Amino acid sequence: MFDQKSENGASVGIEASSSEWINELLLGMRLSGVSYRRVQIAPPFGIRFDTDIRCAQFHFVAQGPVLLRLGDSEQVLASGDAVLLPRGGRHDLLSSPEVQSRDIEQIEALPLCEDFSCVDECADRLDGAPPARLFSGCMQFDLGGMQPLMTLMPGVMHVGTLLSRHPEMLPMLEAMAREASLERAGAAGILSRLADVVAASIVRGWVECDCADIGGWVEALRDPRLGKVIAAVHREPGRDWTVAAMAAEMGSSRSVFAERFRHSLGVSPLGYVTQLRMRLATQWIAERQLSIEQVAERLGYGSQAAFSRAFKRATGRTPGAVRSH
């Protein structure tokens, strides 16, 4: 198929192909809340978060400003700002730089519903200083087949950098600001769902627009022909993938395809297929509670025993141990 040109000369065919594989890969992204907190607190205040590096931390400032400190860097978050820390870690939210922080886990909170609690420290202030109103969520974050991108993401991903390109996010932020007051029935549930969507949108915006210079993965994913192969593997992980079959998807010889794939992704084509299958197997066994036989069948293994051997070889654990854990 020849690429058609748009009025400004852009290659429509390549653009469409690029969008297709981005959609395919983002379907594998899993971002789900573990715990949420709504915090209303009067200055001076300092709150320390020590999020597991295997989880992401999301913060939305309904009423600010608030100072975010991560390591040696600081940035001011204004009212309506949202940030995602994809690798969690220790960080602080402060009313001013000199304030000492308290661990969020040590601050008394009122459970509102499952996985959602409220912190309210708004003692009457003689100076009339308005309290800060925050919403924070600790989230499990799995990019599926795009997991290697995690190490390449910045420590803090700011929604403000995306609004000019994705103005559709503004209504979601405005809705979060309204729900953060918790004055309406069901506000906690709606707020947590909005947080999941906004956080996922931040990740998608970064993948699509902000990671053009990190090499490897992006080089492969933005290549329409190589991206087509990766999308096909994610669509049908249980297919009997061979180097020849993958090269045919790309429309090249096996040697050219294999060299291009390894150069871009740092792993052999069949090694990539195995990694993807093992990640999916782990998710399906641990989270979806599929039987080992079902997983083996979905991933194209001839028997449960063959799958179990491949899983143990790749992960160092048996499927049964993953289920028990």
Side-chain angles (χ1 to χ4, degrees):
M1 182 184 76
F2 293 100
D3 295 327
Q4 299 176 347
K5 302 290 183 179
S6 64
E7 291 182 2
N8 62 6
S11 177
V12 176
I14 290 178
E15 225 172 80
S17 176
S18 177
S19 176
E20 180 182 347
W21 65 252
I22 288 176
N23 287 336
E24 289 286 348
L25 291 176
L26 286 175
L27 284 174
M29 182 171 70
R30 300 169 65 83
L31 186 62
S32 55
V34 176
S35 63
Y36 300 98
R37 288 185 180 88
R38 185 257 199 177
V39 179
Q40 187 164 277
I41 188 167
F45 64 83
I47 307 172
R48 183 175 66 252
F49 294 81
D50 202 354
T51 309
D52 191 307
I53 60 172
R54 294 169 296 181
C55 292
Q57 183 73 48
F58 174 81
H59 296 297
F60 171 71
V61 181
Q63 182 171 294
V66 173
L67 181 68
L68 168 64
R69 177 184 292 156
L70 175 64
D72 295 330
S73 66
E74 295 180 347
Q75 59 179 283
V76 176
L77 306 179
S79 299
D81 276 347
V83 292
L84 179 71
L85 286 69
R87 294 182 297 279
R90 181 168 177 166
H91 58 285
D92 302 89
L93 297 179
L94 310 160
S95 57
S96 55
E98 71 280 359
V99 180
Q100 294 296 312
S101 291
R102 295 179 292 161
D103 190 331
I104 185 66
E105 299 293 343
Q106 303 303 316
I107 300 177
E108 185 177 356
L110 174 67
L112 191 62
C113 57
E114 187 177 6
D115 302 325
F116 195 113
S117 60
C118 292
V119 173
D120 195 340
E121 292 193 350
C122 288
D124 293 336
R125 297 280 309 214
L126 296 177
D127 58 8
R133 207 161 64 240
L134 317 167
F135 173 76
S136 297
C138 177
M139 302 172 173
Q140 290 180 336
F141 189 18
D142 185 351
L143 281 178
M146 297 175 72
Q147 199 65 19
L149 284 177
M150 283 286 292
T151 59
L152 303 174
M153 290 179 175
V156 180
M157 304 170 76
H158 198 295
V159 72
T161 60
L162 299 175
L163 283 175
S164 60
R165 293 190 298 266
H166 301 284
E168 70 276 5
M169 293 183 67
L170 184 58
M172 288 190 286
L173 295 174
E174 292 172 341
M176 288 191 72
R178 290 193 298 270
E179 298 295 338
S181 66
L182 296 181
E183 293 177 355
R184 299 181 62 188
I190 292 174
L191 192 54
S192 60
R193 300 301 182 274
L194 286 170
D196 291 350
V197 173
V198 171
S201 298
I202 292 174
V203 175
R204 179 180 65 179
W206 180 81
V207 170
E208 291 178 326
C209 306
D210 289 343
C211 56
D213 60 348
I214 60 176
W217 261 88
V218 175
E219 177 186 340
L221 297 177
R222 295 195 179 216
D223 181 328
R225 296 175 69 201
L226 199 52
K228 179 182 176 183
V229 178
I230 297 172
V233 171
H234 280 254
R235 247 191 333 263
E236 301 178 85
R239 180 173 159 185
D240 183 17
W241 287 109
T242 63
V243 174
M246 297 168 79
E249 286 281 344
M250 180 169 158
S252 72
S253 68
R254 286 182 295 177
S255 59
V256 169
F257 163 72
E259 174 61 27
R260 191 163 170 181
F261 194 100
R262 183 182 286 277
H263 173 75
S264 296
L265 292 163
V267 64
S268 70
L270 296 184
Y272 181 89
V273 172
T274 298
Q275 289 176 8
L276 173 64
R277 286 174 173 171
M278 296 306 108
R279 278 195 297 269
L280 291 174
T282 300
Q283 287 180 6
W284 292 347
I285 293 170
E287 299 175 20
R288 300 191 189 179
Q289 297 296 303
L290 295 185
S291 70
I292 296 173
E293 183 179 3
Q294 287 175 308
V295 173
E297 182 179 353
R298 288 190 180 193
L299 293 178
Y301 289 90
S303 68
Q304 181 176 325
F307 163 70
S308 296
R309 286 194 298 271
F311 190 89
K312 177 71 181 294
R313 188 164 55 245
T315 68
R317 298 184 294 172
T318 65
V322 172
R323 182 183 303 284
S324 298
H325 177 72

